[in-house]
Amino acid sequence: MSNNSKYEHYLNRELSWLEFNQRVLDQARLQETPLLERLKFLAITGSNLDEFFMVRVGGLLIQSRVSPETLDVAGLRPDEQLDRINRRVHTMMQDQYQCFNHELLPALAEQDIRRLAMNELDPRQQAHLGRLFDEEVSALISPIAVNESTDFPLMTSAPLGLCVNLRGATLRNTTDDSDDNNATRFAIITLARSLPRIVSVPSKAGFHFVLLEDLVCHFVGRLFPKQTVEECVAFRATRNADIAVDIDAAADLLSDMQVMLDARKTSECVRLEIASDASAASRQFLQECLLKDDNYIYLVPGPINLAAFMGLATIKGHRALNFEPWPPQPSPDFRSGDDLFEVIAADDRLLIHPYQVYDPVIEFVETAAADPDVIAIKQTLYRTSQDSPVIAALREAAENGKHVTAIVELRARFDEQQNIGWAKQLEKSGVDVVYGVRGLKTHAKICLVVRRETGGIQRYTHFGTGNYNESTARIYSDVSFFTRDPQLGADAVNFFNAVTGLSIPQTMQKLVAAPIDLRERLLELIDVETQNARNRRPAAIRAKTNSLVDRKVIDALYAASQAGVQIDLNVRGICCLRPGVAGLSENIRVVSIVDRFLEHARIFYFLHGGDHRVFISSADWMVRNLQRRVELMIPIEHAGCKKRLIAALNCYLTDNVKAKRLLPDGSFEPVTAENQVPIRSQQVLYSEACQLHQTGQQTSRTIFEPHRAGSERGDSRSRRG
């Protein structure tokens, strides 16, 4: 690390992210967390690490070759970062398997959810699995003989493989009867993703299972007659997914994205996991074929790919082993049978997900698609669900003759293939599809509906902090905001015109956009608090974001802290800022919350001399969001909506059950509730959503609404529950 003191004020982003994954792992080790939920948290840590290696480690490996002397914000070269990452991940892996092997598996067995070894099966179970292997499994696997590294099959990233060490007759069709036929040979079997990793075994009670790799290894001799199977070991190769398309040179982005996806399948290996009980010969063979660098070899003391155990964590019939259900609550603002546009026209509306239902967001698009008075719909799409009702509504709207524009971001990492498919379907239905802005990812969350009404053209807008994905809306904590504010509507039109028309953006009155002026606006808001504090006026900053990496924002927060501004931050994941450092950041407090829902909302508050400026945003405080993405920050001016967001933000910042406090060295400590009333923010927010719904029901029962001839509004519109 450089001795230059300018780097001492910042934490490395990769190590900070790994500490976030450790906080997720900590949830898997909590005895008070329901058992299957503990398994889910463990599976999430495995999935997180897979993506981390494919993207972050992959990118650092490229950087270490292209610009090896480049320093990160903490003053570390790429090779130094990789060295620290590997040491930290090796320790984390040991923690993962300590949790899985010695905590979760025994606890599951006590609930009669048992992983069985093949030698524990009775004859009936053995026969059942033998038939399964012969009739189904063997048809979906293909052993490939490998005599040298050039023969190794081109396995895509992260499928589970088996390395079979054989002795006996040659694997190839030959009449050679030399002694070489008795030499050790290897075959590789890739376990098809279509095969279940968790294979249930008939049992009188409970849920008993074997792992797919154990099943195949047990019967693998049937694939190699006249040969002796010396060993069958599991392994997995993770490949670099940090492969980019040259957007400026791309003549056809759609086809170039497909080429990139194909290249990702055979890119360099960045991690090789091998079962820890593998022989030295098998290890050496796999390393020679896939990855020679010992730093990226992980000898796994248990089943490889813990993410696969999400399937076991979601088995039915064990409700007591899961969290108490928290069904999303209907919002009193959106009642069944109400005209959606009348509701929004009457007042701005705010929803906090997943505590409140996501239905109004879907119905906003569906209603617009069917409404004869709607003339245009414009929407951004970053990540959607597999059977997206939003996509279906946009297609219906176009087929109904409305002008529909969809900005589909093809470069949403790991959703590229699905987004390419959606783009093609939308185009077939007559939707004007735009693939974002050249050189930038479009990450903003906005849907604009243009409607012809008696008083003229009206613009209705939905802004969100999360994707238009009803599936993730059930497990991600996000904010939705509906408005008919004329200025926000006009700004929304200018925003879409700039993106779809590739024109210079017109000045927007209320919306703030990246990469145009979002960072500058944030710095201005922070500076107002700084100047107020210097002038001995009240000043405060509170913010909730997923990541804090941008150095200019961090430096501005440091300056505000030194001026005396009290700064409270809720940062879910990466945080490169060091809080609590004397003379630098003693007035900055950072907490992180990991609970049953993934914290995803971005909410910013500035005291601003008593004006209480509140914003929601699609953007984290990262360089990529502020410089390399199209993002939006939306002011919330409605008094009731503003009050709810401030209350939610304060709730997160006072959590003393699930919150952990960031220390200056980058480690975390629990925020304890000693001598205090326990506050679990997610539970409080859910209780408030329930209370809002109950209050709304009571209020609706006291309102008398007369039936008027010819005005049965609910008859011709879809019902909303």
Side-chain angles (χ1 to χ4, degrees), residues 20-76:
F20 159 69
N21 207 42
Q22 181 66 49
R23 296 195 295 280
V24 179
L25 179 55
D26 291 343
Q27 295 299 308
R29 308 196 73 172
L30 282 177
Q31 295 291 329
E32 59 265 33
T33 303
L35 184 55
L36 290 180
E37 303 295 344
R38 294 174 65 188
L39 188 59
K40 283 183 187 177
F41 280 117
L42 183 67
I44 291 169
T45 68
S47 176
N48 285 348
L49 275 179
D50 289 348
E51 185 170 333
F52 179 76
F53 269 90
M54 285 188 277
V55 179
R56 300 307 306 173
V57 173
L60 282 171
L61 284 168
I62 293 172
Q63 190 180 44
S64 68
R65 294 191 293 267
V66 176
S67 53
E69 298 304 317
T70 300
L71 302 181
D72 80 321
V73 70
L76 296 175

Coordinates of all heavy atoms in Angstrom, one line a residue, residues 20-76:
F20 N -19.7 -7.2 3.7 CA -21.2 -7.3 3.5 C -21.6 -8.8 3.4 O -22.6 -9.2 4.1 CB -21.7 -6.5 2.3 CG -23.0 -6.9 1.8 CD1 -24.2 -6.7 2.5 CD2 -23.1 -7.6 0.6 CE1 -25.4 -7.1 2.1 CE2 -24.4 -8.1 0.1 CZ -25.5 -7.8 0.9
N21 N -20.9 -9.5 2.6 CA -21.3 -10.9 2.5 C -21.1 -11.7 3.8 O -21.8 -12.6 4.1 CB -20.4 -11.6 1.4 CG -21.1 -12.8 0.7 OD1 -22.3 -12.7 0.5 ND2 -20.4 -13.9 0.5
Q22 N -20.1 -11.2 4.6 CA -20.0 -11.8 5.9 C -21.2 -11.5 6.8 O -21.6 -12.4 7.6 CB -18.7 -11.3 6.5 CG -18.4 -11.9 7.9 CD -18.1 -13.4 7.9 OE1 -17.3 -13.8 7.1 NE2 -18.7 -14.2 8.7
R23 N -21.7 -10.3 6.6 CA -22.9 -10.0 7.4 C -24.1 -10.9 7.0 O -24.9 -11.2 7.9 CB -23.2 -8.5 7.3 CG -22.1 -7.6 7.9 CD -22.6 -6.2 8.1 NE -22.9 -5.5 6.8 CZ -22.1 -5.0 6.0 NH1 -20.8 -5.0 6.2 NH2 -22.5 -4.3 4.9
V24 N -24.2 -11.2 5.8 CA -25.2 -12.1 5.3 C -25.0 -13.5 5.9 O -25.9 -14.2 6.4 CB -25.3 -12.2 3.8 CG1 -26.3 -13.2 3.3 CG2 -25.5 -10.9 3.2
L25 N -23.7 -13.9 5.9 CA -23.3 -15.2 6.5 C -23.6 -15.3 8.0 O -24.1 -16.3 8.6 CB -21.9 -15.5 6.2 CG -21.3 -16.8 6.8 CD1 -22.0 -18.0 6.4 CD2 -19.8 -16.9 6.4
D26 N -23.5 -14.1 8.7 CA -23.8 -14.1 10.1 C -25.2 -14.4 10.4 O -25.6 -15.0 11.4 CB -23.4 -12.7 10.6 CG -21.9 -12.4 10.7 OD1 -21.1 -13.3 10.6 OD2 -21.6 -11.2 10.7
Q27 N -26.1 -14.0 9.4 CA -27.5 -14.3 9.6 C -27.8 -15.8 9.6 O -28.7 -16.3 10.2 CB -28.4 -13.6 8.5 CG -28.4 -12.1 8.6 CD -28.9 -11.6 9.9 OE1 -30.0 -12.0 10.3 NE2 -28.2 -10.7 10.6
A28 N -27.0 -16.5 8.8 CA -27.1 -18.0 8.7 C -26.6 -18.7 10.0 O -27.0 -19.8 10.2 CB -26.3 -18.5 7.5
R29 N -25.9 -18.0 10.8 CA -25.3 -18.6 12.0 C -26.1 -18.2 13.2 O -25.8 -18.7 14.3 CB -23.8 -18.2 12.1 CG -23.0 -18.4 10.9 CD -21.5 -18.4 11.2 NE -21.1 -19.6 11.9 CZ -19.8 -19.9 12.1 NH1 -18.9 -19.1 11.7 NH2 -19.5 -21.0 12.8
L30 N -27.1 -17.3 13.1 CA -27.9 -16.9 14.2 C -28.9 -18.0 14.6 O -29.8 -18.4 13.8 CB -28.7 -15.6 13.9 CG -27.9 -14.3 13.9 CD1 -28.8 -13.2 13.5 CD2 -27.4 -14.1 15.3
Q31 N -28.9 -18.5 15.8 CA -29.7 -19.5 16.3 C -31.2 -19.1 16.3 O -32.1 -19.9 16.0 CB -29.4 -19.9 17.7 CG -28.0 -20.6 17.8 CD -27.9 -21.9 17.2 OE1 -28.9 -22.7 17.1 NE2 -26.7 -22.3 16.7
E32 N -31.5 -17.8 16.5 CA -32.9 -17.4 16.5 C -33.5 -17.2 15.1 O -34.7 -17.1 15.0 CB -33.0 -16.0 17.3 CG -32.2 -14.9 16.7 CD -30.8 -14.7 17.3 OE1 -30.2 -15.7 17.8 OE2 -30.3 -13.6 17.4
T33 N -32.7 -17.3 14.1 CA -33.2 -17.3 12.7 C -33.8 -18.6 12.4 O -33.2 -19.6 12.7 CB -32.1 -16.9 11.7 OG1 -31.5 -15.7 12.0 CG2 -32.7 -16.8 10.3
P34 N -35.0 -18.7 11.9 CA -35.6 -20.0 11.5 C -34.7 -20.8 10.6 O -34.0 -20.3 9.8 CB -36.9 -19.7 10.8 CG -37.3 -18.3 11.4 CD -36.0 -17.6 11.6
L35 N -34.7 -22.1 10.8 CA -33.7 -23.0 10.2 C -33.6 -22.9 8.7 O -32.5 -22.8 8.2 CB -33.9 -24.5 10.7 CG -32.9 -25.5 10.2 CD1 -31.5 -25.1 10.7 CD2 -33.3 -26.9 10.8
L36 N -34.7 -23.0 8.0 CA -34.6 -22.9 6.6 C -34.2 -21.5 6.1 O -33.7 -21.4 5.0 CB -35.9 -23.4 5.9 CG -36.3 -24.9 6.1 CD1 -37.6 -25.2 5.4 CD2 -35.2 -25.7 5.5
E37 N -34.5 -20.5 6.9 CA -34.1 -19.2 6.5 C -32.6 -19.1 6.7 O -31.9 -18.4 5.9 CB -34.8 -18.1 7.4 CG -36.3 -18.2 7.3 CD -36.9 -17.8 6.0 OE1 -36.1 -17.2 5.1 OE2 -38.1 -18.1 5.7
R38 N -32.0 -19.8 7.7 CA -30.6 -19.8 7.8 C -29.9 -20.4 6.6 O -28.9 -19.9 6.1 CB -30.2 -20.6 9.1 CG -30.6 -19.9 10.4 CD -30.3 -20.8 11.6 NE -28.9 -21.0 11.8 CZ -28.4 -21.9 12.6 NH1 -29.2 -22.6 13.4 NH2 -27.1 -22.0 12.8
L39 N -30.6 -21.5 6.1 CA -30.0 -22.1 4.9 C -30.1 -21.2 3.7 O -29.2 -21.2 2.8 CB -30.8 -23.4 4.6 CG -30.2 -24.3 3.5 CD1 -28.8 -24.7 3.8 CD2 -31.1 -25.6 3.4
K40 N -31.2 -20.4 3.6 CA -31.3 -19.4 2.5 C -30.2 -18.4 2.6 O -29.6 -18.1 1.6 CB -32.7 -18.7 2.6 CG -33.9 -19.5 2.1 CD -35.1 -18.6 2.2 CE -36.4 -19.4 1.9 NZ -37.6 -18.6 2.1
F41 N -29.9 -17.9 3.8 CA -28.9 -16.9 3.9 C -27.5 -17.5 3.5 O -26.7 -16.8 2.8 CB -28.8 -16.4 5.3 CG -29.8 -15.3 5.7 CD1 -30.8 -15.5 6.6 CD2 -29.8 -14.1 5.0 CE1 -31.7 -14.5 6.9 CE2 -30.7 -13.1 5.3 CZ -31.7 -13.3 6.3
L42 N -27.3 -18.7 3.8 CA -26.0 -19.4 3.4 C -26.0 -19.5 1.9 O -24.9 -19.3 1.3 CB -25.9 -20.8 4.1 CG -24.6 -21.5 3.8 CD1 -23.4 -20.8 4.5 CD2 -24.7 -22.9 4.3
A43 N -27.1 -19.9 1.3 CA -27.1 -20.1 -0.1 C -26.9 -18.7 -0.8 O -26.2 -18.7 -1.9 CB -28.5 -20.7 -0.6
I44 N -27.4 -17.7 -0.3 CA -27.2 -16.3 -0.8 C -25.7 -16.0 -0.8 O -25.2 -15.4 -1.8 CB -28.0 -15.3 -0.1 CG1 -29.5 -15.5 -0.4 CG2 -27.6 -13.9 -0.5 CD1 -30.5 -14.7 0.5
T45 N -25.0 -16.3 0.3 CA -23.6 -16.0 0.3 C -22.8 -16.7 -0.8 O -21.9 -16.2 -1.3 CB -23.0 -16.4 1.7 OG1 -22.9 -17.8 1.9 CG2 -23.7 -15.7 2.8
G46 N -23.3 -17.9 -1.1 CA -22.6 -18.7 -2.2 C -22.9 -18.0 -3.5 O -22.0 -17.9 -4.3
S47 N -24.1 -17.7 -3.8 CA -24.5 -17.0 -5.0 C -23.8 -15.7 -5.1 O -23.3 -15.3 -6.2 CB -26.0 -16.8 -5.1 OG -26.4 -16.1 -6.2
N48 N -23.7 -14.9 -4.0 CA -23.0 -13.6 -4.0 C -21.5 -13.8 -4.4 O -21.0 -13.0 -5.2 CB -23.1 -13.0 -2.7 CG -24.4 -12.4 -2.4 OD1 -25.3 -12.3 -3.3 ND2 -24.7 -12.0 -1.1
L49 N -20.9 -14.8 -3.8 CA -19.4 -15.0 -4.1 C -19.2 -15.4 -5.6 O -18.2 -15.0 -6.2 CB -18.9 -16.1 -3.2 CG -18.4 -15.6 -1.9 CD1 -17.9 -16.8 -1.0 CD2 -17.3 -14.5 -2.0
D50 N -20.1 -16.2 -6.2 CA -20.0 -16.6 -7.6 C -20.0 -15.3 -8.4 O -19.1 -15.2 -9.3 CB -21.2 -17.4 -8.0 CG -21.2 -18.8 -7.4 OD1 -20.1 -19.2 -6.8 OD2 -22.2 -19.5 -7.5
E51 N -20.9 -14.4 -8.2 CA -21.0 -13.2 -9.0 C -19.8 -12.3 -8.8 O -19.2 -11.7 -9.7 CB -22.3 -12.4 -8.8 CG -22.5 -11.2 -9.6 CD -23.8 -10.6 -9.6 OE1 -24.8 -11.3 -9.3 OE2 -23.9 -9.4 -9.8
F52 N -19.3 -12.3 -7.5 CA -18.2 -11.5 -7.1 C -16.9 -11.9 -7.9 O -16.2 -11.1 -8.5 CB -17.9 -11.6 -5.6 CG -16.7 -10.8 -5.1 CD1 -16.8 -9.4 -5.0 CD2 -15.6 -11.5 -4.8 CE1 -15.7 -8.7 -4.5 CE2 -14.5 -10.8 -4.3 CZ -14.5 -9.4 -4.2
F53 N -16.7 -13.2 -8.0 CA -15.6 -13.7 -8.8 C -15.7 -13.5 -10.3 O -14.8 -13.1 -10.9 CB -15.4 -15.2 -8.5 CG -14.5 -15.5 -7.3 CD1 -15.0 -15.6 -6.1 CD2 -13.1 -15.6 -7.5 CE1 -14.1 -15.9 -5.0 CE2 -12.2 -15.8 -6.5 CZ -12.8 -16.0 -5.2
M54 N -16.9 -13.7 -10.8 CA -17.1 -13.5 -12.2 C -16.9 -12.1 -12.6 O -16.4 -11.8 -13.7 CB -18.5 -14.0 -12.6 CG -18.7 -15.5 -12.6 SD -20.2 -16.0 -13.3 CE -21.3 -15.9 -11.9
V55 N -17.3 -11.1 -11.8 CA -17.3 -9.7 -12.2 C -16.1 -9.0 -11.6 O -15.2 -8.5 -12.3 CB -18.6 -9.0 -11.8 CG1 -18.6 -7.5 -12.1 CG2 -19.8 -9.7 -12.4
R56 N -16.0 -8.9 -10.2 CA -15.0 -8.1 -9.6 C -13.6 -8.7 -9.7 O -12.7 -8.0 -10.1 CB -15.4 -7.9 -8.1 CG -16.7 -7.2 -7.9 CD -16.8 -5.9 -8.7 NE -15.7 -5.0 -8.4 CZ -15.5 -3.8 -9.0 NH1 -16.3 -3.5 -10.0 NH2 -14.5 -3.1 -8.7
V57 N -13.5 -10.0 -9.4 CA -12.2 -10.6 -9.5 C -11.8 -10.7 -11.0 O -10.6 -10.4 -11.3 CB -12.2 -12.0 -8.8 CG1 -10.9 -12.8 -9.1 CG2 -12.4 -11.9 -7.3
G58 N -12.7 -11.0 -11.8 CA -12.4 -11.1 -13.2 C -11.9 -9.7 -13.8 O -10.9 -9.6 -14.5
G59 N -12.6 -8.6 -13.3 CA -12.1 -7.3 -13.7 C -10.8 -7.0 -13.2 O -9.9 -6.3 -13.9
L60 N -10.5 -7.3 -12.0 CA -9.2 -7.0 -11.4 C -8.1 -7.8 -12.1 O -6.9 -7.3 -12.2 CB -9.2 -7.3 -9.9 CG -9.9 -6.3 -9.0 CD1 -10.0 -6.8 -7.6 CD2 -9.1 -5.0 -9.0
L61 N -8.3 -9.0 -12.5 CA -7.3 -9.8 -13.2 C -7.0 -9.1 -14.5 O -5.8 -9.1 -14.9 CB -7.8 -11.2 -13.4 CG -7.8 -12.1 -12.2 CD1 -8.6 -13.4 -12.5 CD2 -6.3 -12.5 -11.8
I62 N -8.0 -8.6 -15.2 CA -7.7 -7.9 -16.5 C -6.9 -6.6 -16.2 O -5.9 -6.3 -16.8 CB -9.0 -7.6 -17.2 CG1 -9.7 -8.8 -17.6 CG2 -8.8 -6.6 -18.3 CD1 -11.1 -8.6 -18.2
Q63 N -7.3 -5.9 -15.1 CA -6.6 -4.7 -14.8 C -5.2 -4.9 -14.4 O -4.3 -4.1 -14.7 CB -7.4 -4.0 -13.6 CG -6.9 -2.6 -13.4 CD -7.6 -1.9 -12.2 OE1 -7.9 -2.5 -11.2 NE2 -8.0 -0.7 -12.4
S64 N -4.9 -6.1 -13.7 CA -3.6 -6.4 -13.3 C -2.6 -6.6 -14.4 O -1.4 -6.4 -14.3 CB -3.6 -7.6 -12.4 OG -3.9 -8.8 -13.1
R65 N -3.2 -7.0 -15.6 CA -2.4 -7.2 -16.8 C -2.3 -5.9 -17.6 O -1.2 -5.6 -18.2 CB -3.0 -8.3 -17.7 CG -2.9 -9.7 -17.0 CD -3.3 -10.8 -18.0 NE -4.7 -10.7 -18.4 CZ -5.6 -11.4 -17.9 NH1 -5.4 -12.1 -16.8 NH2 -6.9 -11.3 -18.3
V66 N -3.4 -5.1 -17.7 CA -3.4 -4.0 -18.5 C -2.8 -2.7 -17.9 O -2.1 -2.0 -18.5 CB -4.9 -3.7 -19.0 CG1 -5.0 -2.4 -19.8 CG2 -5.5 -4.8 -19.8
S67 N -3.1 -2.5 -16.6 CA -2.6 -1.4 -15.9 C -2.2 -1.8 -14.5 O -3.0 -1.4 -13.5 CB -3.6 -0.2 -15.9 OG -4.9 -0.7 -15.4
P68 N -1.2 -2.5 -14.3 CA -0.8 -3.1 -13.0 C -0.5 -2.1 -11.9 O -0.5 -2.5 -10.7 CB 0.4 -4.0 -13.3 CG 1.0 -3.4 -14.6 CD -0.2 -2.9 -15.3
E69 N -0.1 -0.9 -12.3 CA 0.3 0.1 -11.2 C -0.9 1.0 -10.8 O -0.7 1.9 -10.0 CB 1.4 0.9 -11.7 CG 2.7 0.1 -12.0 CD 3.2 -0.7 -10.8 OE1 3.1 -0.1 -9.7 OE2 3.5 -1.9 -11.0
T70 N -2.1 0.8 -11.4 CA -3.2 1.6 -11.0 C -3.6 1.4 -9.6 O -3.7 0.3 -9.1 CB -4.4 1.3 -11.9 OG1 -4.0 1.6 -13.3 CG2 -5.6 2.2 -11.6
L71 N -3.8 2.5 -8.9 CA -4.2 2.4 -7.5 C -5.7 2.7 -7.3 O -6.3 3.5 -8.0 CB -3.4 3.4 -6.6 CG -1.9 3.3 -6.6 CD1 -1.3 4.4 -5.7 CD2 -1.4 1.9 -6.2
D72 N -6.3 1.9 -6.4 CA -7.7 2.2 -6.1 C -7.8 3.3 -5.1 O -6.8 3.9 -4.7 CB -8.4 0.9 -5.6 CG -8.1 0.6 -4.2 OD1 -6.9 0.8 -3.7 OD2 -9.0 0.2 -3.4
V73 N -9.0 3.6 -4.7 CA -9.3 4.7 -3.7 C -8.5 4.5 -2.4 O -8.2 5.5 -1.7 CB -10.8 4.9 -3.5 CG1 -11.4 3.7 -2.7 CG2 -11.1 6.2 -2.8
A74 N -8.2 3.2 -2.0 CA -7.5 3.0 -0.8 C -6.0 2.8 -1.0 O -5.3 2.4 -0.1 CB -8.1 1.7 -0.2
G75 N -5.5 3.1 -2.3 CA -4.1 3.0 -2.5 C -3.6 1.6 -2.8 O -2.4 1.4 -2.7
L76 N -4.4 0.7 -3.2 CA -4.0 -0.7 -3.5 C -3.9 -0.9 -5.0 O -4.8 -0.6 -5.7 CB -4.9 -1.7 -2.9 CG -5.1 -1.7 -1.3 CD1 -6.2 -2.6 -0.9 CD2 -3.7 -2.0 -0.7

